Amino acid sequence: MTREHQGGSRGWAAARKGVWSRLRLTSLRLRLVVVFGLVALTAAVSASGIAYWLNREAVLTRAQDAVLRDFEREMQNRAGALPEHPTREELRRTAGQMADSGRQFSVLLVAEGREGGTVYGTSGDLGGFTPADVPASLREAVDKRQKITAANKHPYHLYWQRIVHGDTPYLVAGTKVIGGGPTGYMLQSLEPEAKDLGSLAWSLGIATGLALIGSALLAQAAASTVLKPVQRLGVAARRLGEGKLDTRLRVSGTDELADLSRTFNSAAEALEKRVADMAAREAASRRFVADMSHELRTPLTAITAVTEVLEEELEFEGGGIDPMIEPAVRLVVSETRRLNDLVENLMEVTRFDAGTARLVLDDVDVADQITACIDARAWLDAVELDAERGIHARLDPRRLDVILANLIGNALKHGGSPVRVSVTESDGPGPAGTAGTAGAEDPGNAEYTEHAETSAGAEYAEGAEVVIRVRDHGPGIPEDVLPHVFDRFYKASASRPRSEGSGLGLSIALENAHIHGGRITAENHPEGGAVFTLRLPRDASDLTEQNAAGGAGAAGGAGDGGAEGEGKDAKGRG
């Protein structure tokens, strides 16, 4: 498949998706069109129905009245001239003369013959108009004698009825000659009027359809007019949510949508100003912490030198320190060391916040690195190491040492013996995002499924990870504290705000794991004790350029070697 074809396919798919998004059932555009269409359809059908009914009655009434007047006049003029007992031939001739009048209707005359029988005479049109074609109800009404009153001066009247025969409408009427004479019936076809009414119905139907189409087009135009500002507002809101705080809407008009756009612009401007102020305050706070840490290092250097001398005097067997002031001297030495650790940790935190921390990678044997960390801090008797040599990774050795010192020191201080450190290898998340293989020691541990992507080096498989678990056998971490163990300066108990650690150790360990593209998780083991799981990629080379782009600041480390990494705060576990 060529690139042009792929681009065309993507364009067609995007266009189809856009059309479907505009026409989905929950679309405001579709609902507006449907409502406009229903309103227009209801109005058009109502108007067409009323117009058709009024025209139908007018057309039929006009044709009917004209025919009935002619028939009534012919009955009085021609049928009234017949003898009292006419013959069949006289009735037929008179009916023919009546039918030949201007309206061309069929006529049936009924009279009593000279010999006492009923005599019929018809004009012979329309296939023969016979008494069987006259409805019985009409014959009864015509033959019924009415009572003579002041309002009714004649005993017989003209009656009519509409019938349908063979899909053709007809008008049937009947009356008696006033003053005595034959009874006459008239049959008139209403087919021309029906055709005219049919044409009128088609015209009204076409007009209704055109009105419906026009209403849909008007609804589409109205929806576009109303929804375009709403769509622009949605796009602007998404851009604002993406962090583009300079997003503004073009305001035109004085309607409600224009007021909404002005409100959005005011809110965006206020938000931009608020975020800028917060960013400025945060930057100022970071600068203050960094400047304070650097300024404290100079006096701390002198104080540390003095405390080292005092510490040597304390250890001197000759008793160089007065026993009365020995507790105070030991307190000064301890607090000076704690203050020095706090300053170092603050400097490290400011590097991470400023984005100036960077990796200095090297190929390390993970087991050797852990052994060196434990040996440097004299933890060999308190830590059990379950790690085979030969598990290599390309990491920053010093930052790995910081992580291990904080995790192991935390377990020794706040957990229970023995502290066990295990190292396993993992293939990392599979294609479906499943977790890598877990170590055999902690089957209940939750596995992470989120990892930074790393490229495959010459010696390391793509997605491979090193998993380091530090487990103690203490009381574990309270469930309400567990989500906060990596928070800065978090204390589990307000009654014990002071601890030997700085409260930043686990936070710095987590930041060092993140800069490698790894993670640290904390949980309680089913058999007791806490478990900290460190996951690092086997090769962090791809992250080196990213870290270098953040700044060229030196990457300092709290707990770097010696006793400085020992005793990091357990973040409220004590």
Side-chain angles (χ1 to χ4, degrees):
M1 180 181 294
T2 63
R3 183 175 301 176
E4 290 78 3
H5 183 67
Q6 291 177 349
S9 300
R10 287 194 297 268
W12 166 250
R16 183 173 59 183
K17 183 178 180 181
V19 171
W20 173 246
S21 65
R22 290 194 297 270
L23 297 180
R24 63 183 185 275
L25 295 179
T26 57
S27 171
L28 181 59
R29 182 187 301 272
L30 180 60
R31 282 184 283 175
L32 284 174
V33 172
V34 170
V35 169
F36 269 76
L38 290 177
V39 171
L41 182 62
T42 302
V45 169
S46 300
S48 298
I50 294 173
Y52 178 78
W53 182 78
L54 292 176
N55 281 276
R56 178 179 181 275
E57 291 301 316
V59 169
L60 293 178
T61 300
R62 184 169 60 251
Q64 173 182 294
D65 291 346
V67 172
L68 294 178
R69 282 196 303 268
D70 289 350
F71 174 66
E72 190 174 17
R73 184 177 62 251
E74 292 296 326
M75 283 292 296
Q76 291 301 119
N77 294 337
R78 297 184 184 276
L82 290 173
E84 183 178 355
H85 301 286
T87 63
R88 180 185 299 274
E89 181 62 24
E90 289 175 337
L91 291 177
R92 186 189 66 77
R93 185 173 57 253
T94 302
Q97 292 174 352
M98 295 172 62
D100 290 338
S101 64
R103 295 295 173 180
Q104 295 295 323
F105 45 76
S106 297
V107 178
L108 172 64
L109 297 177
V110 182
E112 184 179 353
R114 295 174 183 175
E115 298 178 356
T118 301
V119 181
Y120 300 96
T122 180
S123 61
D125 294 336
L126 299 174
F129 184 26
T130 64
D133 297 326
V134 181
S137 59
L138 181 63
R139 290 199 300 268
E140 293 176 1
V142 171
D143 294 337
K144 185 177 181 180
R145 184 181 180 86
Q146 303 293 329
K147 184 178 180 179
I148 302 298
T149 61
N152 184 26
K153 300 180 179 180
H154 303 287
Y156 299 100
H157 296 276
L158 174 67
Y159 295 93
W160 59 271
Q161 186 175 346
R162 294 172 188 163
I163 62 174
V164 178
H165 181 69
D167 296 332
T168 303
Y170 292 95
L171 175 66
V172 182
T175 187
K176 287 182 177 292
V177 177
I178 298 175
T183 301
Y185 296 98
M186 179 272 299
L187 180 67
Q188 172 68 37
S189 174
L190 297 178
E191 186 175 4
E193 287 76 13
K195 290 182 178 180
D196 293 341
L197 292 175
S199 299
L200 177 62
W202 273 104
S203 300
L204 293 176
I206 294 173
T208 301
L210 293 176
L212 183 60
I213 296 174
S215 66
L217 295 177
L218 289 176
Q220 175 68 17
S224 300
T225 303
V226 174
L227 294 181
K228 278 185 178 179
V230 177
Q231 290 174 351
R232 288 197 295 266
L233 181 62
V235 172
R238 284 193 295 270
R239 289 172 57 86
L240 199 65
E242 294 171 355
K244 302 175 181 178
L245 302 182
D246 58 342
T247 301
R248 298 293 184 271
L249 289 173
R250 181 174 54 86
V251 180
S252 60
T254 59
D255 55 5
E256 289 80 0
L257 292 175
D259 292 339
L260 180 60
S261 299
R262 294 189 185 94
T263 303
F264 175 86
N265 289 341
S266 300
E269 184 177 358
L271 179 61
E272 184 180 17
K273 185 177 182 301
R274 180 70 60 84
V275 171
D277 292 342
M278 292 178 62
R281 287 196 296 268
E282 183 180 0
S285 176
R286 285 199 303 265
R287 285 195 301 270
F288 171 76
V289 173
D291 294 343
M292 180 190 68
S293 301
H294 282 85
E295 291 297 329
L296 286 176
R297 294 191 72 175
T298 301
L300 271 177
T301 302
I303 295 174
T304 301
V306 174
T307 55
E308 288 177 354
V309 173
L310 292 175
E311 191 173 12
E312 291 177 358
E313 290 294 330
L314 288 174
E315 296 175 355
F316 183 62
E317 296 180 357
I321 300 296
D322 188 346
M324 296 295 294
I325 64 171
E326 181 177 346
V329 172
R330 293 188 181 276
L331 179 60
V332 169
V333 171
S334 175
E335 291 303 313
T336 301
R337 184 180 293 112
R338 182 173 178 271
L339 181 59
N340 191 54
D341 290 343
L342 178 59
V343 171
E344 293 293 333
N345 287 341
L346 286 175
M347 294 184 65
E348 181 73 356
V349 168
T350 57
R351 293 189 185 98
F352 284 117
D353 289 344
T356 58
R358 61 177 180 177
L359 295 173
V360 180
L361 300 181
D362 194 6
D363 293 324
V364 298
D365 188 301
V366 178
D368 290 344
Q369 188 71 22
I370 298 175
T371 302
C373 175
I374 297 174
D375 184 50
R377 291 158 180 84
W379 291 339
L380 289 176
D381 295 336
V383 178
E384 297 180 1
L385 179 59
D386 181 13
E388 296 182 359
R389 298 191 61 185
I391 301 178
H392 292 271
R394 185 165 181 78
L395 305 168
D396 188 328
R398 190 175 57 79
R399 294 191 180 275
L400 178 60
D401 183 81
V402 171
I403 299 173
L404 295 173
N406 280 287
L407 295 182
I408 299 174
N410 182 78
L412 290 172
K413 181 180 296 184
H414 301 284
S417 297
V419 173
R420 183 179 178 85
V421 181
S422 63
V423 180
T424 57
E425 295 181 88
S426 172
D427 293 334
T434 57
T437 58
E441 176 182 327
D442 299 315
N445 289 345
E447 299 296 335
Y448 267 107
T449 59
E450 298 180 3
H451 302 279
E453 295 183 0
T454 57
S455 65
E459 301 177 1
Y460 309 105
E462 182 177 2
E465 292 179 331
V466 175
V467 182
I468 303 174
R469 290 184 176 87
V470 179
R471 178 192 172 189
D472 60 55
H473 290 76
I477 306 174
E479 293 298 329
D480 59 331
V481 176
L482 197 58
H484 305 287
V485 293
F486 295 103
D487 294 350
R488 297 176 182 176
F489 300 108
Y490 178 78
K491 303 293 182 181
S493 175
S495 62
R496 299 180 61 191
R498 180 180 177 84
S499 63
E500 295 182 8
S502 64
L504 295 172
L506 291 179
S507 175
I508 292 175
L510 182 63
E511 293 291 347
N512 279 295
H514 285 170
I515 200 174
H516 281 90
R519 294 281 186 180
I520 303 178
T521 59
E523 58 189 337
N524 290 316
H525 196 275
E527 299 178 1
V531 179
F532 285 83
T533 303
L534 168 65
R535 293 180 176 275
L536 297 175
R538 294 284 298 275
D539 187 0
S541 299
D542 286 352
L543 299 174
T544 305
E545 297 180 359
Q546 301 176 14
N547 294 328
D560 181 18
E564 293 175 357
E566 181 181 354
K568 296 302 172 187
D569 199 321
K571 308 312 292 177
R573 289 183 54 197

